[in-house]
Amino acid sequence: MTASDQALFPSRPPCSKVRVPGKVILSGEHAVVYGTPALACAIQKYAFAKVVSIGIEGVHLTMPAFGIDQYFSYGQLTQLAHQTQSRHQNFLHDSALLCLVIESPVQFFAAALGASGLVDVLTDQPGLAIELTMDLVAGSGMGSSAALVAAMLAAAFKHIGQPLTAAQLILKTTHSEHWQHGRSSGLDPYVCIMGGLQRYQLGTAERQALKPLSACFLVSTGKPNSSTGECVEAVRQHNFSAHLWSQFSQVQERLLHCMVADTEGVSLPSNLTTMVSAIAANHKLLQHIGVVPKTVSNFIAEVESKGGAAKICGAGSIDGDHAGLVFVVGLELDHMQKLCLNYAYEMQEMLPDLEGVVYFD
């Protein structure tokens, strides 16, 4: 920003930074789309946004992880938003495939900016340079797209002196998530933005007092060949009964009881056996709906043979050998390391994030 720009817009800070956590679904993936509660937790892996003012109108967007370094005029942002929304409407009316809604990552993030209302505020003002980075793994079930969009919008609106409320940020982020997933439940934006352990159902959530976790791991099996939206659509076409989704709900309640503290924040006695049983039951349901690749099923079978349990954390995949993140409970660290080495999988301890969106001055 030039000296004259700073005089005209003195409220703008030199730089605005935001951090938004990713998330994992511990129980209820797919079922949440049909109104069944899901249990999800924010994790200590993050999307980061940095925003500074520039002396020309428009937005300069850089995202090293996606090889993005591109300038957009305000008109281009608005046009991309309209075009993307139109393609999504075609999908909803069964006249276009979901894979045609998003043409490229750069157009997705630019369209999310265009649809957010930011352009209306920025008209006749200096533009923004937005840099997005992350230590999340894209397409693995960590909610990377929701975390990145939320970080981008939160930092941009704060930088221009019009910070969004949590509810506004959730709404704007969910709008672009529909483009990604076809019919988003809204879970990813909510959990990433609010943080903590959340019991989520039909757009509303109840934060849970999380116990300290032990012998819980996240294993990366590789980026799925199928997108979340493709998996959701494949499951929808099977037209599974309401009874099946109620079974997901019952498993979620069992797992919830194992993971939460009492109403005064005191940890109840841990029941690892019950937790292992609930995770194993959840895995069987996910296998039944056809979203667990064979190789990942084999890995989970080995976990079970050693007394633990595991399940995919996201949409899984209907094609290929990879399924994104897998949640593992009940095994010691050395056993986990050996098993992951055999499959060439990466692993990390499950570390919850309790803060959600964090703004840095």
Side-chain angles (χ1 to χ4, degrees):
M1 180 182 287
T2 66
S4 59
D5 290 333
Q6 184 65 58
L8 287 171
F9 304 100
S11 62
R12 286 195 181 186
C15 176
S16 298
K17 297 180 180 179
V18 169
R19 183 188 78 189
V20 177
K23 69 89 186 68
V24 293
I25 299 178
L26 303 178
S27 182
E29 54 287 285
H30 286 285
V32 68
V33 177
Y34 302 93
T36 297
L39 193 63
C41 189
I43 58 173
Q44 292 181 30
K45 292 289 183 178
Y46 299 98
F48 304 90
K50 175 183 176 182
V51 178
V52 299
S53 298
I54 56 178
I56 59 174
E57 293 184 0
V59 172
H60 182 196
L61 180 64
T62 59
M63 299 180 65
F66 293 91
I68 294 171
D69 185 353
Q70 193 165 334
Y71 168 84
F72 296 92
S73 69
Y74 298 145
Q76 287 174 320
L77 294 177
T78 300
Q79 183 180 29
L80 285 170
H82 289 328
Q83 291 172 344
T84 306
Q85 186 64 26
S86 177
R87 290 193 296 269
H88 183 249
Q89 287 299 313
N90 289 339
F91 161 76
L92 293 178
H93 292 106
D94 295 322
S95 59
L97 297 175
L98 180 61
C99 61
L100 299 178
V101 175
I102 302 298
E103 295 186 339
S104 67
V106 65
Q107 291 190 354
F108 167 71
F109 288 102
L113 282 171
S116 70
L118 183 70
V119 170
D120 296 333
V121 182
L122 284 176
T123 301
D124 299 325
Q125 292 196 30
L128 302 175
I130 302 175
E131 181 182 17
L132 301 179
T133 57
M134 64 177 180
D135 57 17
L136 298 163
V137 179
S140 68
M142 290 185 176
S144 60
S145 64
L148 284 165
V149 170
M152 176 177 69
L153 298 183
F157 276 91
K158 182 179 186 296
H159 189 73
I160 63 175
Q162 298 195 24
L164 300 172
T165 66
Q168 289 172 326
L169 185 56
I170 290 168
L171 184 64
K172 291 177 184 296
T173 304
T174 302
H175 184 76
S176 60
E177 283 293 281
H178 289 309
W179 302 339
Q180 288 273 65
H181 306 312
R183 299 171 178 84
S184 172
S185 68
L187 182 150
D188 284 16
Y190 190 96
V191 178
C192 292
I193 291 166
M194 301 305 295
L197 179 67
Q198 302 281 351
R199 184 179 184 273
Y200 184 92
Q201 183 178 23
L202 295 175
T204 62
E206 181 181 355
R207 188 173 181 128
Q208 308 296 315
L210 181 64
K211 289 181 184 179
L213 299 178
S214 60
C216 294
F217 303 94
L218 296 174
V219 175
S220 178
T221 69
K223 184 176 180 179
N225 285 22
S226 309
S227 70
T228 297
E230 288 168 341
C231 291
V232 169
E233 281 303 301
V235 171
R236 184 176 70 89
Q237 290 173 13
H238 282 291
N239 197 27
F240 290 112
S241 68
H243 175 68
L244 176 69
W245 304 122
S246 71
Q247 290 179 282
F248 274 94
S249 181
Q250 292 166 18
V251 168
Q252 182 267 142
E253 290 298 330
R254 288 163 56 192
L255 184 60
L256 181 63
H257 180 74
C258 299
M259 298 187 69
V260 300
D262 69 13
T263 55
E264 299 189 3
V266 178
S267 292
L268 299 173
S270 178
N271 188 338
L272 184 58
T273 301
T274 302
M275 190 171 182
V276 167
S277 174
I279 293 294
N282 202 149
H283 168 61
K284 287 183 173 59
L285 290 171
L286 291 165
Q287 281 188 308
H288 180 69
I289 65 174
V291 294
V292 187
K294 178 63 175 175
T295 302
V296 176
S297 290
N298 292 341
F299 170 79
I300 292 175
E302 290 201 47
V303 170
E304 292 177 343
S305 72
K306 298 179 184 300
K311 57 171 287 296
I312 60 171
C313 290
S317 186
I318 55 174
D319 187 31
D321 296 325
H322 309 298
L325 285 183
V326 168
F327 181 49
V328 182
V329 299
L331 292 190
E332 296 296 329
L333 178 60
D334 58 341
H335 290 154
M336 280 297 305
Q337 291 173 331
K338 292 177 183 177
L339 187 55
C340 288
L341 184 62
N342 291 339
Y343 280 81
Y345 290 165
E346 295 183 359
M347 57 163 285
Q348 59 186 287
E349 186 180 356
M350 166 70 181
L351 297 174
D353 173 277
L354 303 181
E355 296 182 291
V357 176
V358 173
Y359 294 84
F360 299 96
D361 295 329

